[in-house]
Amino acid sequence: SAVISQKPSRDICQRGTSLTIQCQVDSQVTMMFWYRQQPGQSLTLIATANQGSEATYESGFVIDKFPISRPNLTFSTLTVSNMSPEDSSIYLCSVLRGVQETQYFGPGTRLLVL
Amino acid sequence: SQQGEEDPQALSIQEGENATMNCSYKTSINNLQWYRQNSGRGLVHLILIRSNEREKHSGRLRVTLDTSKKSSSLLITASRAADTASYFCATPPTGGFKTIFGAGTRLFVKA
């Protein structure tokens, strides 16, 4: 399994501000993923982050709104910029681990934008 | 397009009963994974079944996979109140890493 931690675990923010979420993994991984889960919904992939290259964003997500950093093989950050109430969600980071590529998730960051 | 559509969307049972959840997907896969999510928390990985496997067990969990029908089922036997959670199936497409999640089944186990 993988041990993944996220900071903060939750936050309440004002609209127009930005929040940076940190994800730390207990060992090196090639790819890290950021997901969003809106209230009562399933998970939607925001972007895939590889160390040393630009993140790859999914349709509907742009770098200006969700800039991602991946400075090394155990750490990544996701920033939610210029927040609006529609950004209120749980944000989860995830990694693939093992020969069978089991996908593991962090505990999530619960964001409420007022 | 959406992979991993679960049904039912919600399921309410009594403690001790079995709970069965189904998942369908649309494209070829290497494996299929099931997760549990307690309210507002992260996803806990339950079980992975490879495309060449038909059935897999883990404790009170039994997963089946039918690649000809592009479907999987998760059976939880002798359910407990602590099993109350949302359950998701997830399928990374063959040759890719973009895991797609279904809408999930909300299971409520009454004590």
Side-chain angles (χ1 to χ4, degrees):
Chain A
S1 65
V3 177
I4 306 171
S5 61
Q6 285 185 234
K7 289 182 183 179
S9 59
R10 58 177 61 212
D11 208 342
I12 300 173
C13 301
Q14 297 297 318
R15 67 172 66 211
T17 63
S18 297
L19 176 72
T20 295
I21 302 168
Q22 299 178 6
C23 178
Q24 180 76 50
V25 188
D26 63 339
S27 61
Q28 295 181 345
V29 292
T30 303
M31 301 171 77
M32 295 178 76
F33 307 89
W34 286 99
Y35 286 82
R36 180 177 74 182
Q37 185 180 28
Q38 294 176 303
Q41 303 296 314
S42 185
L43 281 74
T44 301
L45 181 64
I46 297 172
T48 303
N50 291 332
Q51 193 267 337
S53 63
E54 293 287 331
T56 302
Y57 289 83
E58 297 300 311
S59 175
F61 298 97
V62 295
I63 188 171
D64 290 345
K65 175 67 176 178
F66 297 101
I68 288 172
S69 78
R70 184 78 200 276
N72 58 54
L73 291 173
T74 63
F75 187 79
S76 178
T77 67
L78 169 76
T79 299
V80 186
S81 303
N82 188 25
M83 288 184 285
S84 67
E86 292 72 32
D87 295 319
S88 298
S89 296
I90 300 173
Y91 292 85
L92 300 110
C93 69
S94 175
V95 302
L96 291 172
R97 176 71 58 83
V99 175
Q100 297 188 89
E101 296 179 337
T102 301
Q103 189 159 2
Y104 296 98
F105 286 82
T109 295
R110 180 174 263 183
L111 172 62
L112 176 62
V113 184
L114 302 176
Chain B
S1 59
Q2 181 83 17
Q3 296 255 66
E5 301 283 347
E6 287 98 336
D7 78 270
Q9 291 186 334
L11 181 61
S12 181
I13 59 175
Q14 290 292 140
E15 204 167 32
E17 294 180 340
N18 295 341
T20 299
M21 290 159 268
N22 302 297
C23 167
S24 61
Y25 57 93
K26 295 180 180 176
T27 64
S28 61
I29 58 171
N30 288 324
N31 64 66
L32 185 144
Q33 305 182 36
W34 284 91
Y35 294 83
R36 183 185 74 232
Q37 184 180 36
N38 292 92
S39 180
R41 309 289 295 275
L43 272 72
V44 174
H45 185 265
L46 295 176
I47 197 165
L48 179 154
I49 185 166
R50 291 177 292 184
S51 59
N52 63 353
E53 296 177 310
R54 292 297 167 257
E55 187 172 312
K56 199 163 183 179
H57 296 255
S58 176
R60 293 185 296 113
L61 305 180
R62 173 177 169 255
V63 169
T64 63
L65 179 65
D66 187 336
T67 53
S68 67
K69 296 181 179 178
K70 290 186 167 58
S71 68
S72 174
S73 68
L74 171 66
L75 168 67
I76 303 174
T77 60
S79 64
R80 305 167 182 168
D83 295 327
T84 295
S86 292
Y87 292 82
F88 296 91
C89 70
T91 52
T94 302
F97 295 100
K98 181 181 171 182
T99 300
I100 305 296
F101 286 80
T105 293
R106 295 185 183 187
L107 173 66
F108 180 66
V109 181
K110 294 177 281 189

